[in-house]
Amino acid sequence: MEINPRTVLKQIFGYDDFRPLQEEIIDRTLAGKDSLVLMPTGGGKSMCFQIPALIFDGITIVVSPLISLMKDQVQALRANGVKADYFNSSISAEEEVNVINRATNGEIQLLYLSPEKLISVSNTWLNSLNIKFVAIDEAHCVSMWGHDFRPEYTQLKILRNSLSGVPFMALTATADKSARTDIVEQLGLKESKLFISSFDRQNLSIEVRGQVPKKQKLEEIRRFVVRNVNESGIIYCLSRKSTEEVASYLESAGHSVAFYHAGLDAEERERVQNEFITDSTKIIVATIAFGMGIDKSNVRWVIHYNLPKNLEGYYQEIGRAGRDGLPSETRLYYNMRDFMLYSQFADQGANTEMQKEKLKRMLQFAEAKSCRRRILLSYFGEHLTDDCGNCDVCLNPPEYFDGTVLAQKALSGIARMNEKEGIFMLINVLRGSHNAEVHAAGHHNLKTYGAGQDVSFTDWRDYIIQLANQGLVEIMYSEGSALKITSLGWEVLKGERTIRLTSPVSNKEKSRQKIKASPTVDESELNTHLLTELKKLRNSLAREANVPAYIIFNDKSLNAMASAMPVTENAFLDIPGVGLHKMEKYGTKFMEVIQKYKSVDKPKKIPTTEITFVLYQEGFSPEEIANKRNLQVTTINSHLAQLYAEGKPVELQKLVERGVIEKVRVAFDELDRPHEVKPIYEQLEETVSYGEIRMSLAIIMKDE
Ligand code: ADP
Ligand code: ZN
């Protein structure tokens, strides 16, 4: 009987539809032809080779460089009832023999191999297998032009040549044009067709924050983590030392966190990774080595503590968030120091020019003042027609003003200090500071001393960095970070040229909280109690089977169960991610929980104010709650007012200013105590929000 890809998709993996290109790629493979597949992380590459592998009657070889990835994929496949195995340096000699036996007896459908193992066994037992298809994952590793070259990959061509009648598929999430040609050549693919799917991951918000001093950066990260409490996330750092620093900072703030870098021994690294995968550690602070090959679908956020080396790496790393398609946040911190440091590294390595060029592109992206997603995607050859609405630039578009006079003040300060001082001294001089160093150097006698008193310290720093970015001054890292004026800078100083500056981004958390724009399900629609029960069941099943929880069902599937509440086999099979095998194995258990929940006659939905109250008790501010729930702040304030009126312990007085309450009291009385809020809102000429009016009224009524 002819097995059809769509049937496999539904019955094995539990999905109704293919994602773009998946079906074409599968069909081409089934027709015996070679392909190169470019899809972003989380785009669904695995399905492209797993489905043909299940249709061919023979064995499929999957080459993958990452041991953790193999293990993860094999576990996920087995959970769906697929006969999969892996063969790499992590398994015992005894297990090796077992795998070889199973493979030779035709009991394995997909066999994952590391490239070095593959090469070492290619002339022995591998030869005798009925190989029908070969998939090469992370194929960019074969290319010198990639950023992750692995010499063993170049030997895979031998395999291609010895298996001439078998289709090959190379897959990667990162390959620019030169790397693509290289992959095809190096692997010896024949008449290979290139498939590129959209790299646009709309569920990821993009935010970049530049020149944030370390202390503030740590504090911002701490707040970010609080806002995303109980969600999994990764923080990428440049150095081992900073991974440890950041981890201990967050740990002392009470968060579940571990660090990960190449200095840990293999066992320790494995342990840290496993704890992350199984959700027992929520946050990992790591050097870039972490995460490759982790198919953890519920990573909700990624922070870069430093500037990544190139956009390929950056995109791959942020791509580890939100693989389940749910809204996820990413934030990049950078400063010029990272840039200088990397430039120096690049000078010492191979491919210097290319690496430096890539680094420059990375910096340009970080400094951009237009939609970041458009810049990012155009780098990967994809041109969006509209701004994304889900990056910091789209959400807080910069406003320009004529900055010539400001620039001249700064430039003249630099000139008068003979281009020997750094940014801090300059700002102190401009602001007329009584700092001892200023006096010691005699700078308080300069003409520019105090010329920029009206601008705050942080704003000055922002402007000066803009001057550097626009090429008016150079920061000489080799000379104690002294500022030097460029020829362009002199032109501005002499009044021969004007320049534009943007207002420093507001540092208020509020403006940033607009990020995460993509709508999420209103929590009140979800049966949170049921969800909690389902998660408990999932965790205990995962512990029993000794696999990560998401291997049983991912969050998306559980959310769907909690809202659709299926209690029949057919309804259960409709849940995304439920195939026949999982239905048989787990269906009854999950449906029992759902049935029990249904029959207990409790209100179907948790009252929306109740959710607000829980979050309030957890210490979140109304803004934070609004952000979490994707509701307006004024709605949350109204909830709090209602809770207060009901006698719940809500400290409303702390949330509304005295003056506002008085204003409302006057309007309330003037209007003869109306039953509605609207007249008060109008009486106050819309200066006080509905939420604040409700809170004030609640306080006024309680007082009486
Ligand atoms: P990649 O290997 O490209 O990083 P994966 O193959 O791991 O991505 O897929 C990412 C997620 O998307 C997985 O959870 C996978 O089950 C899911 N997925 C893949 N294809 C589909 C599909 N057609 N419908 C629904 N979910 C899919
Ligand atoms: Zn945008």
Side-chain angles (χ1 to χ4, degrees):
M1 192 191 72
E2 183 84 348
I3 314 170
N4 132 358
R6 209 162 260 281
T7 317
V8 178
L9 180 72
K10 179 68 187 164
Q11 296 194 342
I12 306 289
F13 298 101
Y15 297 125
D16 287 325
D17 294 299
F18 281 109
R19 291 192 180 154
L21 296 183
Q22 284 180 329
E23 199 165 19
E24 287 162 73
I25 296 166
I26 292 165
D27 285 347
R28 184 174 170 87
T29 305
L30 292 175
K33 294 177 184 159
D34 289 3
S35 314
L36 170 57
V37 175
L38 242 98
M39 274 187 191
T41 313
K45 283 187 289 299
S46 325
M47 208 67 84
C48 298
F49 60 81
Q50 288 172 349
I51 289 184
L54 297 180
I55 295 178
F56 285 127
D57 65 344
I59 191 167
T60 289
I61 301 295
V62 183
V63 184
S64 166
L66 300 153
I67 291 174
S68 54
L69 176 98
M70 288 186 209
K71 191 173 159 196
D72 200 273
Q73 288 212 355
V74 167
Q75 278 180 342
L77 284 167
R78 286 187 181 164
N80 280 319
V82 174
K83 287 180 248 157
D85 262 300
Y86 58 86
F87 195 83
N88 60 36
S89 55
S90 77
I91 64 175
S92 65
E94 196 188 352
E95 183 55 21
E96 274 194 8
V97 174
N98 280 337
V99 175
I100 295 169
N101 281 339
R102 282 201 293 273
T104 11
N105 294 339
E107 290 165 20
I108 297 179
Q109 291 165 290
L110 283 108
L111 179 61
Y112 285 71
L113 283 135
S114 61
E116 46 295 345
K117 277 282 175 192
L118 178 79
I119 291 155
S120 76
V121 301
S122 63
N123 280 323
T124 58
W125 56 271
L126 198 78
N127 253 334
S128 63
L129 301 183
N130 180 20
I131 299 175
K132 282 291 166 70
F133 171 35
V134 177
I136 299 168
D137 210 358
E138 312 288 345
H140 60 277
C141 293
V142 76
S143 170
M144 289 281 282
W145 300 113
H147 52 95
D148 197 19
F149 176 62
R150 290 181 187 237
E152 320 87 66
Y153 260 67
T154 53
Q155 293 186 48
L156 295 175
K157 194 171 186 168
I158 305 170
L159 189 72
R160 175 78 210 86
N161 292 337
S162 68
L163 290 167
S164 57
V166 165
F168 269 55
M169 183 187 292
L171 305 104
T172 174
T174 95
D176 60 17
K177 286 217 173 86
S178 37
R180 286 173 213 167
T181 348
D182 217 21
I183 292 172
V184 173
E185 268 170 29
Q186 296 292 326
L187 293 176
L189 300 186
K190 291 180 302 186
E191 292 165 36
S192 143
K193 180 165 175 187
L194 173 65
F195 293 90
I196 305 180
S197 82
S198 172
F199 271 61
D200 192 1
R201 298 273 312 277
Q202 293 171 3
N203 63 323
L204 302 183
S205 71
I206 302 175
E207 184 186 12
V208 179
R209 299 188 45 74
Q211 314 299 340
V212 180
K214 185 171 160 187
K215 233 173 120 184
Q216 187 186 334
K217 185 153 76 170
L218 285 171
E219 176 56 19
E220 285 185 6
I221 292 175
R222 191 190 61 77
R223 268 183 286 157
F224 181 101
V225 168
V226 169
R227 190 149 54 76
N228 288 288
V229 71
N230 283 332
E231 310 273 30
S232 298
I234 308 174
I235 302 173
Y236 287 109
C237 298
L238 175 57
S239 69
R240 294 179 189 183
K241 193 167 142 255
S242 35
T243 63
E244 296 180 14
E245 266 173 28
V246 176
S248 85
Y249 185 84
L250 291 176
E251 183 158 45
S252 61
H255 295 284
S256 151
V257 53
F259 60 84
Y260 181 103
H261 56 62
L264 305 177
D265 60 37
E267 213 171 291
E268 180 71 3
R269 285 207 304 258
E270 166 120 8
R271 190 185 59 78
V272 171
Q273 181 163 313
N274 276 338
E275 289 187 356
F276 182 60
I277 289 175
T278 53
D279 283 335
S280 36
T281 303
K282 291 291 178 188
I283 304 167
I284 300 290
V285 192
T287 49
I288 34 159
F290 182 78
M292 243 197 155
I294 294 190
D295 180 21
K296 183 174 166 60
S297 59
N298 65 343
V299 176
R300 280 278 77 78
W301 54 267
V302 166
I303 292 178
H304 283 88
Y305 192 75
N306 305 100
L307 187 75
K309 289 195 194 94
N310 49 51
L311 284 168
E312 284 92 342
Y314 168 71
Y315 201 63
Q316 202 170 30
E317 281 148 20
I318 63 172
R320 294 190 181 126
R323 293 180 110 188
D324 52 12
L326 298 176
S328 306
E329 280 184 83
T330 79
R331 181 186 286 181
L332 160 67
Y333 285 100
Y334 77 98
N335 57 47
M336 291 306 284
R337 227 164 237 293
D338 303 341
F339 178 74
M340 299 309 291
L341 214 65
Y342 276 138
S343 299
Q344 284 162 14
F345 286 163
D347 273 338
Q348 295 150 11
N351 272 335
T352 305
E353 279 318 306
M354 187 190 67
Q355 282 187 25
K356 277 191 156 173
E357 212 36 58
K358 291 198 169 187
L359 181 60
K360 266 194 217 149
R361 292 291 293 268
M362 185 70 229
L363 185 67
Q364 279 166 10
F365 166 81
E367 290 181 334
K369 302 277 182 199
S370 61
C371 175
R372 296 195 196 277
R373 199 177 310 266
R374 292 181 80 166
I375 301 175
L376 199 54
L377 288 171
S378 78
Y379 179 76
F380 294 107
E382 203 175 321
H383 302 287
L384 297 184
T385 48
D386 292 311
D387 286 352
C388 78
N390 197 17
C391 73
D392 55 340
V393 180
C394 283
L395 292 168
N396 292 305
E399 281 167 26
Y400 287 96
F401 64 91
D402 182 351
T404 312
V405 174
L406 271 174
Q408 284 169 336
K409 285 184 183 173
L411 291 166
S412 115
I414 299 171
R416 283 170 203 275
M417 294 187 291
N418 299 319
E419 303 184 301
K420 286 203 161 47
E421 301 286 1
I423 199 161
F424 289 94
M425 180 65 93
L426 175 62
I427 298 175
N428 279 331
V429 168
L430 288 168
R431 290 187 33 80
S433 150
H434 297 294
N435 182 308
E437 286 174 28
V438 174
H439 284 260
H443 292 330
H444 57 295
N445 297 319
L446 294 177
K447 221 177 153 188
T448 34
Y449 182 74
Q453 253 168 339
D454 46 339
V455 177
S456 75
F457 191 95
T458 45
D459 284 2
W460 263 125
R461 186 172 49 216
D462 191 290
Y463 292 136
I464 296 165
I465 297 298
Q466 289 187 54
L467 297 183
N469 291 347
Q470 294 193 29
L472 274 64
V473 303
E474 248 176 276
I475 305 173
M476 308 302 291
Y477 289 95
S478 52
E479 297 171 28
S481 298
L483 298 167
K484 292 240 184 310
I485 303 174
T486 64
S487 54
L488 204 68
W490 285 110
E491 286 176 30
V492 174
L493 188 53
K494 288 185 205 149
E496 296 163 7
R497 178 188 279 275
T498 60
I499 71 144
R500 296 190 316 155
L501 293 172
T502 68
S503 306
V505 192
S506 144
N507 280 327
K508 285 189 214 124
E509 190 78 8
K510 218 167 152 187
S511 63
R512 267 181 271 129
Q513 292 202 351
K514 279 200 270 165
I515 298 248
K516 208 168 187 176
S518 351
T520 41
V521 195
D522 181 352
E523 282 160 78
S524 57
E525 295 296 322
L526 274 180
N527 299 301
T528 18
H529 281 325
L530 174 56
L531 190 59
T532 312
E533 290 306 308
L534 294 172
K535 280 188 178 168
K536 268 192 215 155
L537 173 60
R538 175 177 71 173
N539 285 347
S540 78
L541 291 171
R543 237 174 290 125
E544 246 168 60
N546 196 19
V547 295
Y550 63 79
I551 295 278
I552 310 282
F553 284 122
N554 65 22
D555 285 2
K556 229 180 175 172
S557 301
L558 284 203
N559 286 347
M561 285 179 212
S563 63
M565 300 202 276
V567 285
T568 63
E569 292 205 347
N570 275 337
F572 199 76
L573 279 168
D574 273 345
I575 300 293
V578 178
L580 287 176
H581 187 80
K582 285 191 179 174
M583 163 74 224
E584 270 165 33
K585 203 158 171 191
Y586 307 122
T588 327
K589 288 186 179 139
F590 280 86
M591 285 191 284
E592 265 170 17
V593 171
I594 296 168
Q595 185 64 56
K596 208 159 105 201
Y597 180 87
K598 271 188 158 171
S599 53
V600 178
D601 199 23
K602 55 176 124 100
K604 242 173 106 179
K605 286 180 187 172
I606 304 180
T608 178
T609 52
E610 183 63 30
I611 300 173
T612 297
F613 186 53
V614 169
L615 290 167
Y616 171 79
Q617 283 185 312
E618 279 176 30
F620 291 103
S621 70
E623 283 80 8
E624 285 165 341
I625 300 172
N627 180 60
K628 272 188 169 297
R629 303 195 53 197
N630 254 305
L631 295 172
Q632 302 282 335
V633 177
T634 191
T635 311
I636 302 300
N637 283 337
S638 304
H639 292 169
L640 293 169
Q642 190 187 330
L643 290 160
Y644 179 83
E646 287 167 11
K648 296 261 167 54
V650 174
E651 292 184 282
L652 272 197
Q653 287 83 350
K654 282 193 180 161
L655 299 172
V656 240
E657 284 170 32
R658 213 52 255 167
V660 171
I661 303 173
E662 284 321 308
K663 258 164 85 178
V664 173
R665 193 194 297 276
V666 171
F668 186 53
D669 286 337
E670 270 175 7
L671 291 166
D672 273 327
R673 309 199 148 214
H675 292 293
E676 280 171 21
V677 180
K678 196 162 177 235
I680 304 178
Y681 183 66
E682 282 161 1
Q683 175 85 355
L684 293 171
E685 295 177 321
E686 309 185 0
T687 55
V688 179
S689 71
Y690 277 106
E692 282 179 301
I693 297 173
R694 291 212 171 88
M695 293 200 286
S696 305
L697 289 175
I699 295 171
I700 294 165
M701 306 302 257
K702 257 266 170 79
D703 281 355
E704 290 176 352

